[in-house]
């Protein structure tokens, strides 16, 4: 029998180390290197890639370009994030904090598929069948069409799959699964990696779509080795917003679609419900306008999204003024304040500044630059910005306001929500008028501040 070996692996990034150390040399995290025992495969075993097959050399012109078949789940927000539906043979990893609704969402998905006479199997390694059945009853799901299994051995699961041959498999969760090829305890780096690899190979060879539920760490990243993210085709995160009723589903990785799409859901006693108009979800504003509150139009994936940005500027109470940004990059806030000082003539060096994107959404695009500065100026000068106005545009270091993508679609969506005035980049000004919307096109920060005075 071959000698078993040990390895030292970082639990955060999955990097190997020749010996134990206090700090990982790859990701610089402290106290994350753990010793794991590696199982020994038989000498004559064939190691396959994650695709589950061996291959020969081909020219790209010889590759079959038949469109990948997708299954619609009946939940449009879920299909949107996946890129149009479930891909046959695709492996999806979905993570989220405890109580976010991962198991609830997947149970609703497979129930919809079962109603379409698609064979599904839900494998639970954490909850009992009674607990899942009670949840299904509470959600009013069909109990006689969903096949259930409580098992943690991936070999036993795959043997069951060979018998019933489902099209969709749910693994809840991958952290409790184990494989016979590794002697480590379930949840360890090697077990999670080997179990995910085994299931992915089975999915590719047998054209079975697999959903794996994954745990997250305290910093909201998926637990387990970084290799886990490379193995799967799609990685989803289900997160809560500041309002506990709402959930946001996003894709951090998607081999079959865009990673820019967001899916919005509302949690109630009957499960997760789609939010068809997410802008209304983030625009729950007070009736009376107040300084520092403005609206911008983001572009998330293939649709516009209206969000409120708030700023608070106050005199510094201590020696060092604080600058805090919630929902967008704090370094960008510092850069925008420098632009405001140099090209807007407004000095904030002695003030404390707090900026927040309402609703808990994360802003990654630069189209919100103008709105952020307008909110800061509004709070600083104690000037109310009218509720029916909105702003978007990227700021350059020379004080110019640059155009953003999909400008006309943003304007159109805001007009549908009742907004009447817009300060936007001059290059985004539409060639034809939009009914009920007065547009102030500007090309510099100075012009934008003048237009703000006109609409206020």
């Amino acid at each position: 029998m071959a000698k078993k070996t040990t390895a030292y692996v970082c639990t955060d990034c999955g990097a190997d180390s020749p010996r134990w150390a206090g700090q990982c040399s790859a990701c610089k995290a402290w106290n994350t290197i753990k010793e794991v025992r590696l199982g020994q495969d038989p000498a004559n075993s064939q190691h396959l890639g994650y695709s589950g097959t061996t291959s020969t050399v081909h020219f790209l012109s010889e590759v079959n370009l038949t469109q990948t078949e997708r299954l619609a789940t009946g939940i449009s927000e879920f299909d949107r994030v996946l890129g149009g539906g479930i891909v046959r043979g695709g492996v999806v990893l979905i993570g989220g904090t405890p109580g976010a609704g991962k198991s609830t969402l997947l149970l609703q998905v497979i129930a919809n598929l079962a109603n379409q006479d698609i064979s599904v199997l839900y494998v639970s390694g954490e909850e009992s069948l009674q607990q899942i059945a009670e949840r299904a009853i509470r959600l009013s799901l069909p109990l006689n069409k969903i096949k259930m299994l409580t098992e943690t051995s991936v070999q036993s699961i795959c043997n069951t799959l060979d018998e019933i041959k489902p099209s969709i498999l749910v693994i809840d969760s991958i952290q409790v699964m184990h494989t016979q090829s590794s002697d480590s305890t379930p949840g360890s780096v090697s077990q999670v990696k080997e179990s995910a690899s085994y299931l992915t190979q089975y999915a590719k060879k047998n054209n079975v779509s697999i959903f794996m539920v994954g745990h997250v760490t305290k910093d909201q990243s998926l637990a387990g080795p970084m290799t886990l993210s490379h193995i799967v085709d799609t990685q989803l995160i289900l997160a809560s917003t500041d309002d506990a009723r709402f959930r946001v589903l996003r894709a951090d990785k998607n081999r079959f679609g865009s990673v820019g799409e967001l899916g919005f859901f509302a949690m109630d006693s009957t499960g997760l419900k789609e939010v068809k108009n997410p802008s209304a979800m983030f625009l729950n504003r007070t009736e009376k306008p107040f300084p520092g509150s403005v609206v911008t139009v983001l572009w998330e994936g293939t649709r516009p999204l209206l969000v409120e940005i708030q700023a608070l500027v106050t005199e510094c109470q201590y020696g060092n003024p604080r600058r805090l940004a919630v929902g967008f990059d704090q370094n960008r806030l510092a850069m925008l304040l420098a632009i405001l000082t140099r090209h807007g003539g407004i000095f904030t060096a002695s003030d404390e500044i707090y900026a927040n994107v309402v609703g808990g959404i994360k802003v990654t695009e630069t189209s919100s630059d103008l709105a952020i500065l307008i909110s800061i100026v509004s709070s600083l000068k104690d000037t109310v910005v009218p509720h029916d106005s909105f702003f978007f545009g990227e700021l350059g270091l020379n004080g110019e306001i640059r155009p953003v993508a999909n400008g006309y679609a943003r304007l159109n969506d805001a007009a549908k929500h009742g907004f009447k005035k817009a300060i936007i980049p001059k290059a985004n000004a539409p060639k034809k008028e939009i009914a009920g919307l007065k547009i102030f096109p500007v090309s510099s920060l100075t012009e934008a501040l003048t237009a703000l005075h006109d609409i206020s």
Side-chain angles (χ1 to χ4, degrees):
M1 179 180 292
K3 183 180 178 181
K4 295 178 181 177
T5 61
T6 60
Y8 296 91
V9 182
C10 174
T11 56
D12 276 8
C13 68
D16 294 326
S17 177
R19 63 186 65 84
W20 185 88
Q23 184 183 35
C24 174
S25 59
C27 66
K28 307 302 181 184
W30 287 93
N31 299 321
T32 58
I33 295 180
K34 305 295 182 183
E35 180 181 4
V36 296
R37 290 202 304 165
L38 304 177
Q40 184 68 36
D41 292 335
N44 60 352
S45 63
Q46 183 182 21
H47 293 275
L48 301 176
Y50 298 140
S51 63
T53 59
T54 57
S55 179
T56 57
V57 177
H58 293 281
F59 288 102
L60 280 177
S61 59
E62 300 172 352
V63 177
N64 184 5
L65 297 178
T66 304
Q67 185 68 29
T68 304
E69 181 185 358
R70 292 182 182 267
L71 294 174
T73 64
I75 303 177
S76 59
E77 291 295 302
F78 188 75
D79 290 340
R80 176 193 294 273
V81 178
L82 289 179
I86 301 174
V87 176
R88 292 280 192 180
V91 180
V92 179
L93 175 65
I94 178 170
T97 56
K102 305 181 294 295
S103 301
T104 298
L105 178 60
L106 291 179
L107 196 59
Q108 292 179 250
V109 167
I110 64 172
N112 285 357
L113 294 171
N115 283 332
Q116 303 174 34
D117 295 326
I118 297 173
S119 179
V120 298
L121 176 64
Y122 191 109
V123 179
S124 175
E126 297 182 352
E127 294 181 285
S128 67
L129 294 182
Q130 181 180 1
Q131 289 175 305
I132 300 173
E134 290 175 350
R135 180 187 298 129
I137 293 173
R138 176 169 53 84
L139 301 177
S140 301
L141 301 179
L143 303 184
N144 59 339
K145 292 186 177 181
I146 302 175
K147 298 175 184 176
M148 301 294 305
L149 175 67
T150 53
E151 182 60 71
T152 57
S153 169
V154 293
Q155 283 84 4
S156 299
I157 293 171
C158 291
N159 290 337
T160 303
L161 297 179
D162 290 334
E163 296 177 5
I164 65 175
K165 300 187 182 305
S167 298
I168 308 293
L169 171 66
V170 174
I171 301 292
D172 189 3
S173 68
I174 189 61
Q175 269 80 14
V176 299
M177 297 295 148
H178 70 274
T179 175
Q180 298 171 3
S181 63
S182 177
D183 294 333
S184 302
T185 57
S188 64
V189 171
S190 58
Q191 280 287 12
V192 172
K193 176 182 175 181
E194 294 299 326
S195 297
S197 177
Y198 194 101
L199 290 168
T200 301
Q201 290 177 13
Y202 187 93
K204 303 302 181 183
K205 288 191 293 185
N206 297 277
N207 208 28
V208 177
S209 301
I210 297 182
F211 289 91
M212 302 179 187
V213 176
H215 297 164
V216 294
T217 60
K218 59 184 178 182
D219 61 350
Q220 305 304 308
S221 60
L222 281 162
M226 194 64 185
T227 313
L228 185 60
S229 298
H230 297 290
I231 293 174
V232 300
D233 298 312
T234 305
Q235 180 175 303
L236 307 179
I237 295 292
L238 184 64
S240 302
T241 65
D242 288 349
D243 190 332
R245 297 172 298 167
F246 298 110
R247 306 288 189 272
V248 178
L249 181 69
R250 72 176 190 271
D252 288 343
K253 171 189 176 181
N254 193 351
R255 288 176 178 157
F256 306 114
S258 170
V259 295
E261 294 287 359
L262 294 179
F264 298 93
F265 300 88
M267 175 68 82
D268 60 19
S269 59
T270 58
L272 287 168
K273 303 297 182 183
E274 297 177 81
V275 177
K276 298 294 186 181
N277 183 13
S279 292
M281 174 175 124
F282 292 107
L283 283 181
N284 188 15
R285 309 174 76 188
T286 58
E287 293 184 4
K288 181 182 178 181
F290 55 87
S293 174
V294 303
V295 171
T296 188
V297 188
L298 306 177
W299 192 262
E300 296 292 344
T302 57
R303 63 181 173 184
L305 180 66
L306 279 80
V307 298
E308 180 185 359
I309 294 179
Q310 293 182 347
L312 175 63
V313 181
T314 182
E315 293 182 2
C316 179
Q317 302 298 321
Y318 305 100
N320 213 5
R322 292 193 63 190
R323 307 295 170 86
L324 181 64
V326 179
F328 62 96
D329 186 13
Q330 189 148 333
N331 292 326
R332 191 153 194 90
L333 175 62
M335 185 190 74
L336 293 176
L337 291 175
I339 296 172
L340 182 63
T341 300
R342 177 68 180 270
H343 301 286
I346 298 176
F347 299 91
T348 60
S350 60
D351 297 314
E352 292 192 344
I353 299 176
Y354 304 89
N356 175 47
V357 182
V358 177
I361 194 170
K362 304 298 181 183
V363 176
T364 56
E365 63 168 341
T366 57
S367 65
S368 61
D369 287 355
L370 181 58
I372 293 171
L373 278 192
I374 294 295
S375 66
I376 292 172
V377 172
S378 170
S379 178
L380 178 65
K381 295 184 176 297
D382 200 26
T383 302
V384 174
V385 177
H387 256 15
D388 61 352
S389 59
F390 66 98
F391 315 81
F392 64 79
E394 177 185 355
L395 263 78
L397 292 178
N398 293 319
E400 76 276 16
I401 298 181
R402 299 175 177 271
V404 300
N406 306 296
Y408 185 80
R410 298 178 197 236
L411 292 170
N412 219 10
D413 188 70
K416 291 178 181 177
H417 283 82
F419 286 86
K420 306 295 184 184
K421 304 169 187 174
I423 297 180
I424 64 170
K426 184 172 291 185
N428 282 127
K431 296 180 180 179
K432 58 181 181 179
E433 293 185 359
I434 298 177
L437 184 63
K438 185 177 181 180
I439 297 174
F440 296 81
V442 295
S443 57
S444 67
L445 178 59
T446 304
E447 293 181 14
L449 294 177
T450 302
L452 175 63
H453 181 271
D454 294 339
I455 68 174
S456 299

